[in-house]
Amino acid sequence: MTENTQQQTAPTTELPTQYAPAEVEGPLYERWVERGYFEADAKSEKPPYTIVIPPPNVTGSLHLGHAFEHTLIDALTRRKRMQGYETLWQPGMDHAGIATQNVVERELAKEGKSRHDLGREAFVERVWQWKAESGGQISGQMKRLGDGVAWSRERFTMDEGLSQAVQTIFKKLYDDELIYRAERIINWCPRCLTAISDIEVEYQDDDGELVSIRYGEGEDSLVVATTRAETMLGDTAVAVHPDDERYKHLVGKRIKLPLTDRTIPVVADTHVDPEFGTGAVKVTPAHDPNDFEIGQRHDLPNLAVMDERAVITAHGPFQGLDRLEARSAIVAALRAEGRIVAEKRPYVHSVGHCSRCKTTIEPRLSMQWWVKVGPLAKAAGDAVRDGKVKIHPQEMEKRYFDWVDNLHDWCISRQLWWGHRIPVWYGPNGEVVCVGPDERPPAGEGWHQDTDVLDTWFSSGLWPFSTLGWPERTESLEKFYPNSVLVTGYDILFFWVARMMMFGLYAMDGTPPFHTIALHGMVRDQNGKKMSKSFGNVVNPLDWMDEYGSDAVRFTLANGANPGVDVPIGEDWVKASRNFANKIWNATRFALMNGATIEGPLPDASEMSATDRWILSRLNATVAQVDAYYEDYQFAKLSDALYHFAWDEVFDWYVELSKTTFFAGGEQARVSGRVLGEVLDVMLRLLHPIVPFVTEALWTTLTGRESVVIADWPKDSGFRDAAAEAEIENLQQVVTEVRRFRADQGLQPGQKVPARLELGGTALAAHEAAIRQLLRLQPEGEGFSATASLPVAGATVALDLSGTIDVAAERKRLTKDLAAAEKEKAQANGKLGNEAFLAKAPDNVVEKIRIRLAKADEDIARIQAQLANLPQA
């Protein structure tokens, strides 16, 4: 397990007395980058392993979600690098169209300017300037975390190469009639002044109002209900179900639209639910997606009554009012005319909000560019159904299929200036020309380019192959596409994953962009609550890294990472992980000072003690277990396995059991020192992908080699020793049981007690010195009296407790505790034996009483055993 070709220098046992992450982490990371450990060579003959970073927004900074995701990706890539793969973790950032434009516009507002004061070219130049000066701070924060990305390959979705990729695929989709321009209802943000996609709309329950309004007169009237009274100014029909007998006499007639001088038809449409409300609905085709579809079926006019800022444009007294002002004014006017039949306030209903600025979305009829997703989405679904791409955990497949199997055409145009401008030119006589990256746009009087830019997800959907040089068939593309795995949150399964699947299969001749999609959950606070500024529970991971070290933050995050499940995290857990890093440091330092070494070959098993063979057996089992968990993306389980192996088995047991050997010196100490060196070497390599900094400092000190980053990943040698494992398990039982007894009797951990160990005939006899040291047991001595005797694991430990405890006081305390436990048992039995109580009590109440009874039984047995073991008065 120690094969390695790194150059070796003389190892040193000198380590600072305390681990100081702030002094270690920065210099180590700089050294890793300088030596090019994270770079990837497309010419290498090693098998490839590729992961792309979900590109963070250029406006962003490292938050706990980033830190969590990056920790998992870094662990995977570090391990694969150690396994001999040509590993590429592709870094980069997203230009984040709306978010970035908003940031720069706010900066301009401080100067009393708007983007229109600068003009498009100057504004875009200002954004580039902001990006150079202020954008991308997340890169430095990623280095703080220890991200092993190939920095020389860093990409940006607006750089020249990726812009060429965007223009190429737009042209290809356009020529294949998969991109088109049409007037449809879109989600419009009156604050950002752009269309946004369905998946960028966040729905929440808002307090609104439901107003029932009478349209028409007398028998030729009906009542409609709406939460958006202001849109009635754009009504062009009322719809009823064709089979609704209440309204058959009205179908085909025209009725008066209140507050206007217009009449509108009553149409019959199967979309209407006759059981909902009055069974009649107002139809506003220019301001509602369902109404738009009804309008298309009945050839209704589309009457827009709001501008891009959601201000009323319809002629009349409401013109110029904001939509919410108009809503109140229109309801008041209808009330004055006696048109209001009913009002309900508050009326809680689900309302869409812009995910970026939280403004209420306004459905709006608009001319936009669309991707015809039908064939692309089918291919994306089939790739998973056919097994080309695996989703992990598998239960997430249903969510994926629910999405890709029901995708609507994707609105890809945005009314912004920052982004990839749509490569379409319009001519003076209605010509439309789509221009590829190597084509010259048409010139001459009257020609102009489309003013819209593309949705940010359009360019990030190309990320797995555009970052490798596509559309050119580069060496990197040939080597590193498709990606091995995509690690990302289930929250962007629809935003990003489905886009990459559609574009990758389309652009790369049916080859999906990755073999596996490994989905993780969201980071939440320690109570499982979503982190939000409004809740006051948002944590800056940099603060924790400053306080406890990056390894502590990484280990805490990995230790909570069950596939597809949200991850709770609290500061106390980070402190515990800091303590783990300190334990690794201190225990390794002690081991190095007491003979741990990797010098020379590993001794033959016949030369080793049972303790040596046990720890090597457990080491190999841990290697196999950790490998299995990695292959299944079980980060929490592998972290837990490493924690307990390192802390419990290596430090708390093996090191402690070996102390007597080390102190005695001689050949056996040399053998155990070599075994301990082996264990530390392998253990630190196993831990390295999760906690890279502390393991690098310790491993290079232990081995004298260049870096654990480029060390070989440990392999299970197959060594197992069931007999040694059973022997040490028996020893552990003895020590654990006696420690528990000592604690029950109120003895201090360091308090020495005379004892006789009856180990004859068992393998434990060879461990008497270690057992006495661990349990603080003195030799019997003169006048020894066995006042307590503990049979355990085939051995007996007799203790002389005379003079160490107040037997009378202890017996009195335990007798009182026993009486309380017996009373608790009697009460629980009484309730469980009462048929009337059981007939009426809820199941959860009965279950709690059963739990109380079981606990009382346990307490009684424990206390009785303690009383039996007390010395006789």
Side-chain angles (χ1 to χ4, degrees), residues 135-380:
Q137 62 174 311
I138 199 169
S139 297
Q141 296 165 347
M142 286 166 59
K143 295 174 182 177
R144 284 284 315 279
L145 187 65
D147 286 2
V149 299
W151 287 112
S152 70
R153 292 173 172 266
E154 187 174 11
R155 304 303 297 269
F156 179 54
T157 49
M158 286 282 287
D159 68 28
E160 185 178 350
L162 269 65
S163 295
Q164 183 184 31
V166 167
Q167 196 171 351
T168 298
I169 201 163
F170 186 99
K171 171 72 170 172
K172 181 174 169 58
L173 288 163
Y174 183 87
D175 289 346
D176 288 344
E177 298 183 349
L178 292 172
I179 281 184
Y180 63 94
R181 193 169 184 244
E183 192 175 44
R184 300 272 182 87
I185 292 286
I186 47 90
N187 303 300
W188 181 265
C189 176
R191 160 63 184 78
C192 298
L193 298 180
T194 183
I196 62 174
S197 65
D198 290 345
I199 50 180
E200 292 169 301
V201 178
E202 294 178 348
Y203 287 90
Q204 66 184 49
D205 287 341
D206 286 358
D207 287 345
E209 61 181 1
L210 182 66
V211 182
S212 298
I213 310 167
R214 182 172 300 280
Y215 284 22
E217 306 293 342
E219 291 185 359
D220 290 347
S221 70
L222 38 69
V223 175
V224 300
T226 181
T227 58
R228 300 166 68 221
E230 68 278 9
T231 63
M232 69 162 290
L233 301 175
D235 287 358
T236 55
V238 173
V240 297
H241 193 276
D243 300 330
D244 195 330
E245 294 294 335
R246 293 171 295 177
Y247 302 118
K248 279 199 170 180
H249 69 288
L250 288 177
V251 174
K253 289 187 176 181
R254 300 185 71 87
I255 60 174
K256 180 77 164 53
L257 179 66
L259 305 183
T260 73
D261 57 1
R262 293 191 292 119
T263 60
I264 56 176
V266 177
V267 300
D269 196 281
T270 54
H271 171 75
V272 179
D273 179 2
E275 302 298 321
F276 183 76
T278 63
V281 297
K282 60 192 285 300
V283 182
T284 321
H287 293 279
D288 183 275
N290 293 320
D291 293 3
F292 178 78
E293 297 297 330
I294 294 174
Q296 293 290 99
R297 289 192 288 272
H298 297 277
D299 198 26
L300 299 174
N302 301 317
L303 182 58
V305 295
M306 285 182 230
D307 67 10
E308 60 183 8
R309 298 184 184 276
V311 172
I312 301 298
T313 57
H315 292 297
F318 312 109
Q319 187 174 8
L321 295 180
D322 171 79
R323 56 182 167 167
L324 299 181
E325 296 172 332
R327 182 178 300 172
S328 300
I330 287 170
V331 171
L334 289 167
R335 193 183 297 112
E337 287 192 4
R339 293 283 178 178
I340 299 296
V341 175
E343 298 179 66
K344 184 176 181 181
R345 295 187 186 87
Y347 178 72
V348 179
H349 61 132
S350 182
V351 177
H353 296 259
C354 174
S355 62
R356 290 177 177 82
C357 70
K358 311 308 176 187
T359 301
T360 300
I361 290 301
E362 190 64 45
R364 186 169 189 250
L365 187 65
S366 180
M367 183 68 75
Q368 302 285 345
W369 285 95
W370 304 80
V371 171
K372 188 184 296 182
V373 300
L376 303 175
K378 182 180 184 304

Side-chain angles (χ1 to χ4, degrees), residues 61-68 71 138 141 144-145 523 531 538-550 552-554 557 569 574:
S61 60
L62 190 75
H63 57 63
L64 268 177
H66 289 127
F68 172 55
T71 294
I138 199 169
Q141 296 165 347
R144 284 284 315 279
L145 187 65
V523 178
M531 288 194 175
V538 174
V539 173
N540 182 348
L542 296 172
D543 293 340
W544 280 353
M545 284 190 268
D546 289 341
E547 182 72 19
Y548 306 111
S550 297
V553 174
R554 289 171 62 114
L557 291 165
I569 184 172
V574 183

Side-chain angles (χ1 to χ4, degrees), residues 699-713:
W699 190 85
T700 52
T701 301
L702 169 70
T703 66
R705 292 178 178 146
E706 182 181 336
S707 175
V708 70
V709 177
I710 54 172
D712 294 331
W713 180 252

Side-chain angles (χ1 to χ4, degrees), residues 372-678:
K372 188 184 296 182
V373 300
L376 303 175
K378 182 180 184 304
D382 290 345
V384 175
R385 288 189 175 93
D386 298 344
K388 289 182 181 177
V389 178
K390 297 187 183 302
I391 294 180
H392 187 89
Q394 191 173 0
E395 54 265 27
M396 285 286 182
E397 282 187 2
K398 183 180 184 302
R399 294 183 66 176
Y400 176 80
F401 292 135
D402 286 347
W403 180 256
V404 297
D405 293 346
N406 297 286
L407 268 180
H408 299 295
D409 284 1
W410 172 20
C411 176
I412 56 171
S413 45
R414 299 291 181 267
Q415 289 64 56
L416 305 170
W417 287 356
W418 173 245
H420 296 100
R421 195 164 173 180
I422 288 176
V424 172
W425 271 255
Y426 305 104
N429 299 311
E431 302 95 333
V432 179
V433 177
C434 180
V435 177
D438 300 322
E439 299 172 351
R440 187 183 300 275
E445 188 176 347
W447 283 93
H448 64 279
Q449 186 178 358
D450 196 299
T451 56
D452 287 352
V453 301
L454 288 163
D455 177 12
T456 293
W457 297 103
F458 190 94
S459 51
S460 59
L462 315 180
W463 194 248
F465 51 93
S466 64
T467 52
L468 298 172
W470 188 90
E472 301 298 324
R473 283 285 173 178
T474 63
E475 286 183 322
S476 290
L477 188 65
E478 295 292 337
K479 178 73 174 178
F480 296 113
Y481 187 91
N483 290 192
S484 306
V485 61
L486 174 74
V487 179
T488 193
Y490 63 70
D491 56 316
I492 56 173
L493 181 61
F494 317 130
F495 283 86
W496 191 43
V497 178
R499 309 281 194 239
M500 288 189 289
M501 285 286 283
M502 291 192 295
F503 281 169
L505 290 160
Y506 173 74
M508 298 300 292
D509 303 319
T511 302
F514 18 73
H515 298 301
T516 301
I517 302 168
L519 297 170
H520 59 71
M522 310 284 285
V523 178
R524 296 182 177 271
D525 72 11
Q526 60 190 15
N527 300 313
K529 194 173 184 180
K530 181 179 178 181
M531 288 194 175
S532 166
K533 290 180 180 177
S534 60
F535 296 153
N537 61 351
V538 174
V539 173
N540 182 348
L542 296 172
D543 293 340
W544 280 353
M545 284 190 268
D546 289 341
E547 182 72 19
Y548 306 111
S550 297
D551 284 333
V553 174
R554 289 171 62 114
F555 191 82
T556 306
L557 291 165
N559 204 32
N562 290 297
V565 178
D566 288 346
V567 183
I569 184 172
E571 188 168 5
D572 286 345
W573 304 342
V574 183
K575 288 179 183 177
S577 296
R578 185 270 315 274
N579 294 342
F580 180 47
N582 288 342
K583 181 75 170 180
I584 299 170
W585 182 273
N586 294 332
T588 304
R589 182 173 177 271
F590 172 85
L592 288 169
M593 293 170 63
N594 287 275
T597 179
I598 65 163
E599 294 294 318
L602 195 63
D604 188 78
S606 62
E607 301 177 56
M608 299 179 193
S609 67
T611 310
D612 294 334
R613 297 194 305 276
W614 163 74
I615 197 62
L616 288 177
S617 184
R618 293 297 309 130
L619 175 67
N620 279 283
T622 301
V623 171
Q625 189 178 43
V626 167
D627 274 335
Y629 286 146
Y630 262 116
E631 295 305 312
D632 199 34
Y633 304 99
Q634 297 279 1
F635 295 97
K637 289 182 178 180
L638 73 88
S639 299
D640 190 63
L642 286 169
Y643 176 90
H644 287 293
F645 175 72
W647 194 306
D648 298 346
E649 297 186 300
V650 178
F651 302 143
D652 280 359
W653 285 107
Y654 181 72
V655 170
E656 292 299 319
L657 288 170
S658 301
K659 280 182 178 178
T660 52
T661 301
F662 291 142
F663 295 159
E667 179 60 19
Q668 193 56 55
R670 185 195 67 79
V671 170
S672 293
R674 180 63 187 87
V675 170
L676 181 52
E678 179 80 4

Side-chain angles (χ1 to χ4, degrees), residues 687-700:
L687 282 164
H688 174 71
I690 304 292
V691 284
F693 294 108
V694 69
T695 52
E696 172 80 338
L698 294 173
W699 190 85
T700 52

